[in-house]
Amino acid sequence: MSYHFEFNWLLQYYPEIVKGIGITLQLILIGAVLGIALGIACAWARALGPAWLKPIVAAYVELIRNTPFLIQLFFIFFGLPSLGLQLGELQAANIAMIVNLGAYSCEIIRAGIQSTPKGQFEAGASLAMTPFETFRHVVLVPSLQRIWPALSSQVVIVMLGSSVVSQIAAEDLTFAANFIQSRTFRAFEAYMVSTAIYLILAILLRQVLGIVGSFIFPRRTAR
Amino acid sequence: MTEFTLWDILRNLLLATRWTIVLSLVSFIGGGAVGLLLLFARISTRKAIRTFARCYIELFQGTPLLMQLFIAFFGLGLFGIDVPAWLAAGLALILWTASFLAEIWRGCVEAIAKGQWEASASLGMGRLQQMRYVILPQAMKIAVPPTVGFSVQVIKGTALTSIIGFVELSKAGTVVTNATFLPFTVYGLVALIYFALCWPLSRSSQFLERKLNVAHRNH
């Protein structure tokens, strides 16, 4: 049996595809910004925070990093309503991505903080900065700069992982592919095209994060 | 209506965990074998082979595992090949795992000092001999912690195979939820079982890394 590839019909579904790309991008934008913010807070807590907070954050990080994203998503979307917390599919997807990236970026950023030379903390203290001010003004930005490539790849991984949010009916790119597949039974083409789009998105996202990085961390002339 | 005890739920989940473990092992071993071939291709002296390996790795790392599963499951069926869920799941996971392991191992091979290549070449060794007797034995030592660490990603990756209908831990979680209407308990337990599988691996990866660092410092 031979199979004839046919891509022309895809044109008629382009609104669905564009909408799916939009949702995927929206998810990763919110997820990346808030997830990294959460990661910074957790990294501070784990590296420099009060003693009672450390085990709590450590438990959160270990729990998230050692369970599949799909299960985290199901737990938030299907499990939390029984505690009275009803979430829409996009909200659930957003929360799951933020919580997931928060845990991974916590570990990455913590590595950056802990590789800061001790003299930097002492210098901050000698300028009468509080530990938090030292962290905020002296330690944080160079730490982030050091781990920015690792953080960028984690954001790309989370973007690719976001394809499972279609399972709770969030209408992302994978959802569009499934929709087209169920309408046309042209599974191969639908998934090939969406896979190619994901590949392009991943490459573009890496570029954008590189540019963002060079904006946030301008090269200093004196080193 | 039937009442389900916690033990009923847990027992069914644990039975399904078998398949998560089997699929993880198959993916890891198969992925390791393909990954080794890919590693040789990635550091080959021929440019065309190197480029092929680079594209393969870029393709599999740059696209969602879920899409790879869909293509293996729905796509191959169109060519008249009857693909059961377990075959599509195994195939996609092996190819996906291989792309990551090859890249991890390449880093380890490249971490070996260049003098080792030169020394073994000066002894008249061929490229395969160099790899077999000089480079790989040393690279393997530094490759252990990240490889163990990646096995956690493989176990978590198997969760996605539930979406194409392979009945493992995640799928069992969905099925049990549909029968019991206790999503909080069931998915909580599923998460804990995954955690019990993955956490020891994560910890031993960290432990091995620390041990290796200590060993290197003493040199």
Side-chain angles (χ1 to χ4, degrees):
Chain A
M1 191 191 119
S2 66
Y3 182 79
H4 297 284
F5 285 101
E6 189 68 70
F7 286 97
N8 295 332
W9 54 271
L10 264 175
L11 281 175
Q12 105 191 52
Y13 285 103
Y14 93 95
E16 274 83 8
I17 296 177
V18 170
K19 190 183 165 207
I21 295 175
I23 301 264
T24 293
L25 287 179
Q26 182 196 326
L27 282 172
I28 191 57
L29 185 69
I30 297 174
V33 171
L34 296 180
I36 292 175
L38 179 63
I40 292 173
C42 290
W44 171 80
R46 269 199 99 170
L48 310 162
W52 60 269
L53 197 56
K54 281 181 185 173
I56 299 173
V57 176
Y60 153 69
V61 169
E62 290 297 311
L63 205 57
I64 295 298
R65 279 168 32 112
N66 288 298
T67 51
F69 178 63
L70 183 67
I71 297 301
Q72 295 160 15
L73 190 69
F74 281 176
F75 188 79
I76 289 170
F77 188 68
F78 297 117
L80 289 188
S82 60
L83 296 185
L85 190 63
Q86 203 84 40
L87 294 163
E89 66 276 359
L90 275 182
Q91 286 169 308
N94 269 324
I95 292 175
M97 284 172 76
I98 293 166
V99 167
N100 189 273
L101 184 60
Y104 279 94
S105 58
C106 168
E107 283 303 273
I108 298 171
I109 296 166
R110 185 172 71 124
I113 293 174
Q114 284 176 339
S115 68
T116 306
K118 217 176 147 205
Q120 300 271 326
F121 290 96
E122 293 163 354
S126 74
L127 290 172
M129 285 178 165
T130 64
F132 185 76
E133 281 172 338
T134 309
F135 174 73
R136 162 76 188 78
H137 297 288
V138 181
V139 176
L140 181 60
V141 173
S143 301
L144 283 179
Q145 186 171 14
R146 268 192 294 270
I147 50 83
W148 190 253
L151 199 55
S152 303
S153 8
Q154 191 58 45
V155 171
V156 173
I157 289 174
V158 170
M159 191 273 281
L160 296 175
S162 79
S163 64
V164 302
V165 301
S166 58
Q167 292 308 303
I168 57 166
E171 299 179 12
D172 74 332
L173 181 53
T174 308
F175 187 88
N178 283 336
F179 174 81
I180 296 169
Q181 193 267 135
S182 63
R183 280 293 178 84
T184 62
F185 296 107
R186 289 204 166 269
F188 210 68
E189 287 94 328
Y191 292 128
M192 284 289 241
V193 168
S194 46
T195 303
I197 296 173
Y198 269 113
L199 185 61
I200 294 166
L201 286 181
I203 293 168
L204 283 180
L205 187 59
R206 226 172 281 159
Q207 301 289 330
V208 168
L209 285 167
I211 295 167
V212 169
S214 62
F215 258 101
I216 311 179
F217 315 113
R219 258 211 202 154
R220 307 215 168 101
T221 38
R223 258 188 199 258
Chain B
M1 199 180 125
T2 328
E3 284 293 319
F4 294 93
T5 61
L6 194 64
W7 170 239
D8 288 329
I9 296 174
L10 189 61
R11 197 185 53 201
N12 281 301
L13 292 179
L14 285 175
L15 282 174
T17 307
R18 283 181 305 176
W19 298 111
T20 291
I21 294 173
V22 169
L23 187 60
S24 303
L25 284 175
V26 168
S27 314
F28 194 70
I29 294 168
V34 179
L36 195 63
L37 289 178
L38 210 53
L39 166 71
F40 276 96
R42 186 70 182 78
I43 57 174
S44 161
T45 43
R46 273 195 229 142
K47 189 153 186 272
I49 298 177
R50 269 205 318 269
T51 312
F52 164 78
R54 224 194 48 234
C55 291
Y56 175 98
I57 291 168
E58 177 71 22
L59 188 67
F60 277 85
Q61 294 196 357
T63 58
L65 176 58
L66 182 59
M67 280 293 155
Q68 296 162 23
L69 284 164
F70 278 152
I71 289 179
F73 186 60
F74 294 107
L76 291 182
L78 295 177
F79 296 100
I81 309 164
D82 186 28
V83 192
W86 61 267
L87 185 61
L91 187 68
L93 273 167
I94 285 174
L95 295 180
W96 176 80
T97 307
S99 76
F100 279 88
L101 285 180
E103 200 62 3
I104 292 172
W105 292 343
R106 181 180 70 96
C108 300
V109 165
E110 286 184 350
I112 302 300
K114 220 176 151 208
Q116 301 280 335
W117 285 100
E118 293 162 354
S120 50
S122 73
L123 290 173
M125 286 183 171
R127 196 159 167 86
L128 269 179
Q129 284 176 315
Q130 286 180 303
M131 283 293 271
R132 163 74 184 79
Y133 294 107
V134 180
I135 305 297
L136 283 185
Q138 300 179 73
M140 237 141 73
K141 219 175 122 193
I142 40 176
V144 170
T147 306
V148 174
F150 184 73
S151 66
V152 174
Q153 308 293 329
V154 177
I155 295 178
K156 290 192 293 178
T158 62
L160 295 190
T161 61
S162 64
I163 296 171
I164 58 167
F166 182 73
V167 183
E168 36 65 80
L169 182 51
S170 298
K171 185 74 182 175
T174 309
V175 172
V176 173
T177 302
N178 291 341
T180 58
F181 304 111
L182 295 168
F184 189 83
T185 317
V186 175
Y187 287 125
L189 284 173
V190 170
L192 284 180
I193 296 174
Y194 273 114
F195 185 77
L197 289 177
C198 295
W199 197 59
L201 288 170
S202 298
R203 286 315 296 254
S204 46
S205 167
Q206 288 162 3
F207 171 75
L208 288 167
E209 203 175 312
R210 224 169 298 141
K211 207 172 107 183
L212 191 75
N213 279 341
V214 172
H216 268 241
R217 219 173 295 144
N218 288 347
H219 272 203

